[in-house]
């Protein structure tokens, strides 16, 4: 194994250096600056330590609401992706190569479309007098024209569409590693089709489901283009607020404080999640 | 009433006919070996019996019930996979309990007690709370075996049960399987490509070739009286010798290409003309006595195998391999005289 293990000797370090340098300049440096900024005063007596930016977030109900909405949406989106993505991944793993390729392309397609076009697509479907509203009206399920634009439901729908491939593809990878004989064995032991999925496929897919849902959660909590286009100004999420503080109000200190809060809460959710799922997945 | 009845089952993969109107009846309590080279259809047959593969035609009955269209979970069978297929996310005891859980017999405690009992049968009850990956290959196999017998299936199916074990474990496991079969009386069918496993374990060996039964019978019968070159060759390997047969009544003899004549037994099976015969390697002896058929030859090469020695002896143009006790073997390359009892030359039915 001596040749196979990668000790951090000179050659690998050299290979890593471009990436590390880039990460240092483009991520760690701005992140630390942001962190510093969130604790520093601005204006006449600039540069002194202060907690006023954080106090503002806590005191102002509006921003607490934004934070709450952001995490609620991210949780709902992640849950929906899991609910839709796992069965889909199971079907894809059992499909023949042609069907699987078609399904993969179909599922990645939204990712390859510009966010503007995609959002206008949703406008056509969800908007007032749109396809959804018209269909429901024709079916007699609703009386007046309705719109899901500028609603949380609309945001969730649009986000699930974009983020689903992340979950499906990671889960598919996990399922692909389960030997077919395990499911067959469970069938011969009396488990039905769904019993076999529940008792064998699902628990053994936990690593894929975990990393996939983490990705989905992280991406949805930090996204702001789709939420701001579909949700509008009334339904602000944290990333949108930060953007507004930085570029609209030029309140960098407050924007930085919001960023740090977003980061901290995200870490507080993600770290225990990773620990738990790796414990479950580690048994495989 | 037979425990398993396979009636003219056909299986095709595309144009390839894997099973060609296959018939098989297995009595309750029998221990059957499906023996054959890879691609002969034995594993496919096992998977069809288990319900993991759908036949293109034919009928299947297990314990008197038609199961032809039934999903695996509705057949009361157990299949032990070649890879064992232990569920990695469950402990040993949970693995063994799984069939009981799925088939819904008794409460959790009763099931665990039964699972422990099955584990005790394979002497692994002390490892009940381990995970499969913490066990050795041999132990994993025992867990798989315990899991297969725990629900008292109508049929116990074993797919290449010994192939993943090293030589010593394989012998232990053979003993174990035989013992379990004798104590539980489960109707058992196992697939193997290893003739010694088939002969050593089964009550009845089904030798398969190209989707058909080549020959079926007791291990002794199939070993000592193969009917075809394929059967003779697959079971233990043998010298296949072509002789020109002449004679009538009770006296027959065969002539080698170089003119040497040897007496033949099995008179009732013989007709005049060219015929292939099987001569087991271990039937050949050096320094034959006068009751034996003898030929002149020369020792070409020898391999010392410990208790036995394998010698390649040239008789005219043909080569005869002899497997003899080492202390009764002539050594060194030289001309010699070998022989065998006339009834050891078994006439085969091939053209």
């Amino acid at each position: 194994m001596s040749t196979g293990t990668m000790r951090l000797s000179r050659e690998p370090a050299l290979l890593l250096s471009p990436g590390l340098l880039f990460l240092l300049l483009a991520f760690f440096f701005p992140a630390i600056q942001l962190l510093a900024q969130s604790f520093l005063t601005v204006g006449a007596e600039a540069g002194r330590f202060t907690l006023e930016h954080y106090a503002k977030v806590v005191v102002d109900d509006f921003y607490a609401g934004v934070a709450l909405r952001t995490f609620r949406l991210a949780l709902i989106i992640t849950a929906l992706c899991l609910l839709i993505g796992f069965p889909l991944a199971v079907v894809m793993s059992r499909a023949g190569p042609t069907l699987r390729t078609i399904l993969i392309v179909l599922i990645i397609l939204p990712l390859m479309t510009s966010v503007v076009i995609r959002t206008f697509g949703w406008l056509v479907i969800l908007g007032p007098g749109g396809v959804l509203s018209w269909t429901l009206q024709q079916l007699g399920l609703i009386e007046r024209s309705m719109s899901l634009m500028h609603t949380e439901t609309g945001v969730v729908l649009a986000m699930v569409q974009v983020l689903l491939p992340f979950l499906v593809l990671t889960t598919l990878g996990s399922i692909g590693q389960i030997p077919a004989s395990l499911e067959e064995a469970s069938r011969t032991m009396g488990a039905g089709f769904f019993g076999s999925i529940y008792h064998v496929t699902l628990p053994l897919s936990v690593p894929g489901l975990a990393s996939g849902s983490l990705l989905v959660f992280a991406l949805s909590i930090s996204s702001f283009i789709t939420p701001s286009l579909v949700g509008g100004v009334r339904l602000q999420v944290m990333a949108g607020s930060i953007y507004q503080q930085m570029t609209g109000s030029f309140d960098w200190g407050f924007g930085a404080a919001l960023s740090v809060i977003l980061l901290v809460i995200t870490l507080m959710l993600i770290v225990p999640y990773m620990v738990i799922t790796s414990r479950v997945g580690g048994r495989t | 009433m037979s425990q398993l009845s396979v009636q003219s089952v056909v299986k095709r993969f595309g144009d390839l006919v894997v099973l060609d109107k296959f018939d098989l009846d297995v009595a309750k309590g029998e221990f059957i070996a499906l023996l054959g080279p890879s691609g002969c259809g034995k594993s496919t047959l096992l998977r069809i019996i288990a319900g993991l593969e759908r036949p293109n035609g034919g009928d299947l009955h297990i314990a008197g019930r038609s199961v032809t269209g039934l999903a695996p979970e509705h057949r009361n069978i157990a299949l032990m996979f070649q890879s064992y297929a232990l569920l990695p996310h469950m402990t040993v005891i949970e693995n063994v309990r799984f069939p009981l859980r799925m088939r819904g017999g008794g409460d959790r405690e009763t099931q665990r007690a039964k699972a422990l009992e099955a584990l005790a049968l394979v002497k692994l009850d002390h490892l009940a709370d381990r995970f499969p990956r913490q066990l050795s290959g041999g132990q994993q196999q025992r867990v798989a075996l315990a899991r297969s017998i725990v629900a008292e299936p109508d049929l116990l199916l074993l797919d290449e049960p010994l192939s993943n074990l090293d030589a010593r474990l394989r012998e232990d496991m053979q003993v174990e399987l035989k013992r379990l079969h004798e104590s539980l009386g489960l109707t058992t069918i196992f697939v193997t490509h290893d003739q010694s496993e088939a002969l050593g374990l089964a009550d009845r060996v089904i030798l398969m070739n190209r989707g058909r039964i080549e020959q079926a019978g007791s291990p002794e019968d199939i070993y000592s009286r193969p009917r075809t070159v394929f059967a003779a060759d697959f079971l233990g390997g043998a010298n296949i010798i072509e002789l020109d047969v002449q004679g009538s009544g009770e006296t027959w003899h065969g002539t080698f290409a170089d003119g040497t004549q040897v007496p033949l037994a099995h008179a009732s099976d013989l007709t005049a003309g060219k015929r292939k015969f099987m001569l087991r390697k271990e039937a050949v002896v050096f320094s034959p006595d006068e009751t034996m058929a003898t030929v002149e030859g020369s020792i070409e090469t020898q391999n010392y195998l410990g208790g036995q020695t394998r010698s390649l002896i040239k008789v005219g143009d043909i080569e005869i391999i002899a497997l003899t006790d080492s202390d009764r073997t002539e050594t060194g390359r030289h001309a010699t005289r070998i022989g065998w009892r006339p009834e050891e030359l078994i006439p085969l039915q091939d053209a």
Side-chain angles (χ1 to χ4, degrees):
Chain A
M1 279 303 285
S2 61
T3 50
T5 45
M6 282 281 267
R7 285 176 303 112
L8 204 65
S9 58
R10 229 173 51 204
E11 291 86 352
L14 213 60
L15 289 174
L16 278 177
S17 56
L20 274 177
L21 194 69
F22 183 75
L23 209 60
L24 207 67
L25 286 177
F27 179 72
F28 286 108
F29 178 64
I32 288 166
Q33 208 182 20
L34 209 62
L35 185 68
Q37 223 154 28
S38 73
F39 287 107
L40 293 177
T41 51
V42 285
E45 289 176 88
R48 285 208 341 264
F49 176 82
T50 178
L51 286 174
E52 61 169 323
H53 305 307
Y54 289 96
K56 198 167 150 193
V57 180
V58 178
V59 171
D60 195 332
D61 274 355
F62 178 75
Y63 290 104
V66 168
L68 207 64
R69 175 184 303 122
T70 308
F71 286 104
R72 186 175 61 234
L73 284 178
L75 284 177
I76 294 172
I77 290 162
T78 310
L80 276 178
C81 280
L82 280 170
L83 228 58
I84 300 170
F86 176 67
L88 196 58
V90 170
V91 170
M92 285 165 80
S93 73
R94 289 164 190 230
T98 323
L99 181 59
R100 188 183 323 180
T101 312
I102 292 173
L103 285 172
I104 288 180
V105 170
L106 276 180
I107 214 157
I108 300 182
L109 218 51
L111 272 185
M112 302 195 221
T113 333
S114 138
V115 65
V116 178
I117 294 173
R118 205 165 55 220
T119 308
F120 276 105
W122 279 113
L123 186 71
V124 170
I125 294 171
L126 302 178
V131 177
L132 183 71
S133 166
W134 185 83
T135 310
L136 290 180
Q137 256 181 315
Q138 295 301 314
L139 290 173
L141 292 173
I142 53 170
E143 284 177 8
R144 280 179 297 137
S145 161
M146 57 161 275
S147 166
L148 286 179
M149 287 308 278
H150 309 299
T151 64
E152 288 192 2
T153 313
V155 175
V156 167
L157 278 177
M159 291 293 291
V160 166
Q161 183 202 18
V162 197
L163 296 179
L164 195 58
F166 292 98
L167 190 112
V168 170
L169 295 181
T170 50
T171 307
L172 194 60
S174 248
I175 296 179
Q177 286 178 357
I178 305 173
S181 62
L182 293 189
E183 283 168 37
E184 289 183 343
S186 71
R187 295 296 294 275
T188 63
M189 290 188 282
F193 179 82
F194 290 109
S196 169
I197 290 175
Y198 178 72
H199 290 289
V200 179
T201 318
L202 181 61
L204 293 178
S205 310
V206 166
L209 288 170
S211 53
S213 54
L214 263 185
L215 258 179
V216 168
F217 185 79
L219 287 172
S220 56
I221 211 161
S222 58
S223 69
F224 80 100
I225 299 180
T226 305
S228 52
L229 287 182
V230 179
V233 274
R234 221 167 41 78
L235 290 175
Q236 263 195 26
V237 291
M238 283 193 85
S241 300
I242 294 166
Y243 180 74
Q244 209 188 24
Q245 294 304 322
M246 298 292 202
T247 62
S249 328
F250 295 108
D251 191 346
W252 283 40
F254 184 53
L258 281 176
S259 306
V260 171
I261 289 170
L262 180 62
L263 184 69
V264 168
I265 299 179
T266 308
L267 288 178
M268 275 164 55
L269 288 174
I270 282 180
V271 171
Y273 186 72
M274 276 167 75
V275 171
I276 291 167
T277 50
S278 76
R279 201 170 292 158
V280 176
R283 284 208 260 152
T284 62
Chain B
M1 169 119 289
S2 58
Q3 187 73 356
L4 167 71
S5 155
V6 177
Q7 289 155 9
S8 58
V9 160
V10 176
K11 180 68 185 175
R12 286 183 295 267
F13 290 123
D15 286 339
L16 186 73
V17 179
V18 182
L19 290 173
D20 190 5
K21 297 209 167 161
F22 199 93
D23 291 302
L24 179 65
D25 265 291
V26 178
K28 200 172 169 67
E30 253 192 308
F31 201 167
I32 298 278
L34 297 176
L35 175 68
S38 59
C40 72
K42 58 188 192 300
S43 293
T44 306
L45 178 62
L46 201 74
R47 290 175 60 82
I48 286 175
I49 296 170
L52 295 172
E53 210 80 62
R54 272 174 192 280
N56 299 99
D59 273 310
L60 275 174
H61 293 261
I62 294 174
R65 186 167 66 116
S66 171
V67 297
T68 312
L70 280 187
E73 63 266 28
H74 299 305
R75 308 176 177 199
N76 188 21
I77 52 106
L79 170 57
M80 190 171 93
F81 285 71
Q82 190 175 0
S83 59
Y84 316 143
L86 297 178
L87 302 172
H89 56 297
M90 294 182 187
T91 56
V92 164
I93 182 102
E94 285 305 306
N95 262 285
V96 178
R97 189 168 78 95
F98 194 78
L100 301 172
R101 245 172 101 196
M102 293 301 111
R103 303 203 189 275
D107 58 25
R108 192 187 147 84
E109 284 318 305
T110 327
Q111 289 173 1
R112 280 185 72 94
K114 272 191 93 170
L116 262 179
E117 236 172 82
L119 276 172
L121 273 178
V122 296
K123 305 184 192 87
L124 274 186
D125 40 336
H126 61 295
L127 297 178
D129 294 319
R130 299 271 183 94
F131 281 97
R133 68 186 145 81
Q134 297 169 311
L135 306 183
S136 70
Q139 290 171 331
Q140 290 184 15
Q141 166 125 51
R142 283 158 186 268
V143 175
L145 191 59
R147 194 175 68 172
S148 306
I149 58 176
V150 71
E152 291 154 33
D154 291 334
L155 272 184
L156 173 58
L157 309 172
L158 311 168
D159 189 6
E160 300 272 6
L162 307 172
S163 65
N164 279 350
L165 302 175
D166 59 45
R168 242 201 58 219
L169 275 176
R170 200 173 299 183
E171 279 175 25
D172 293 350
M173 202 65 200
Q174 281 207 24
V175 174
E176 191 99 327
L177 280 173
K178 193 101 188 176
R179 189 177 58 83
L180 270 180
H181 178 254
E182 274 156 15
S183 62
L184 300 175
L186 288 173
T187 312
T188 308
I189 300 174
F190 77 102
V191 154
T192 180
H193 63 271
D194 183 320
Q195 51 103 10
S196 68
E197 272 173 40
L199 296 177
L201 281 172
D203 305 328
R204 186 149 64 103
V205 176
I206 315 287
L207 179 63
M208 291 176 65
N209 186 21
R210 297 174 187 209
R212 290 171 169 277
I213 295 181
E214 182 84 13
Q215 190 172 350
S218 70
E220 296 80 11
D221 182 45
I222 205 164
Y223 183 79
S224 59
R225 289 304 307 267
R227 282 202 291 267
T228 59
V229 172
F230 177 85
D233 205 41
F234 202 83
L235 285 142
N239 297 295
I240 308 293
I241 300 168
E242 195 173 50
L243 297 174
D244 197 6
V245 179
Q246 281 127 26
S248 61
E250 290 299 307
T251 28
W252 292 79
H253 60 265
T255 313
F256 280 81
D258 68 350
T260 314
Q261 284 199 345
V262 289
L264 296 174
H266 309 290
S268 56
D269 293 337
L270 295 176
T271 49
K274 285 211 185 299
R275 183 72 174 268
K276 285 191 176 111
F277 290 82
M278 176 195 79
L279 178 63
R280 288 277 174 217
K281 297 168 191 169
E282 56 272 31
V284 182
V285 298
F286 290 97
S287 4
D289 61 46
E290 62 276 16
T291 64
M292 291 181 170
T294 57
V295 292
E296 306 281 342
S298 62
I299 301 172
E300 292 288 309
T301 58
Q302 287 182 314
N303 305 98
Y304 177 71
L305 306 173
Q308 291 182 310
T309 298
R310 185 171 52 225
S311 312
L312 180 72
I313 299 148
K314 256 204 140 129
V315 177
D317 282 342
I318 66 165
E319 289 172 343
I320 291 177
I321 295 171
L323 198 61
T324 48
D325 291 343
S326 290
D327 54 357
R328 291 166 172 236
T329 304
E330 297 174 13
T331 52
R333 291 169 60 113
H334 63 274
T336 185
R337 194 172 181 66
I338 55 167
W340 52 83
R341 292 185 291 124
E343 60 270 27
E344 300 283 5
L345 264 184
I346 312 283
L348 301 173
Q349 288 168 355
D350 298 66

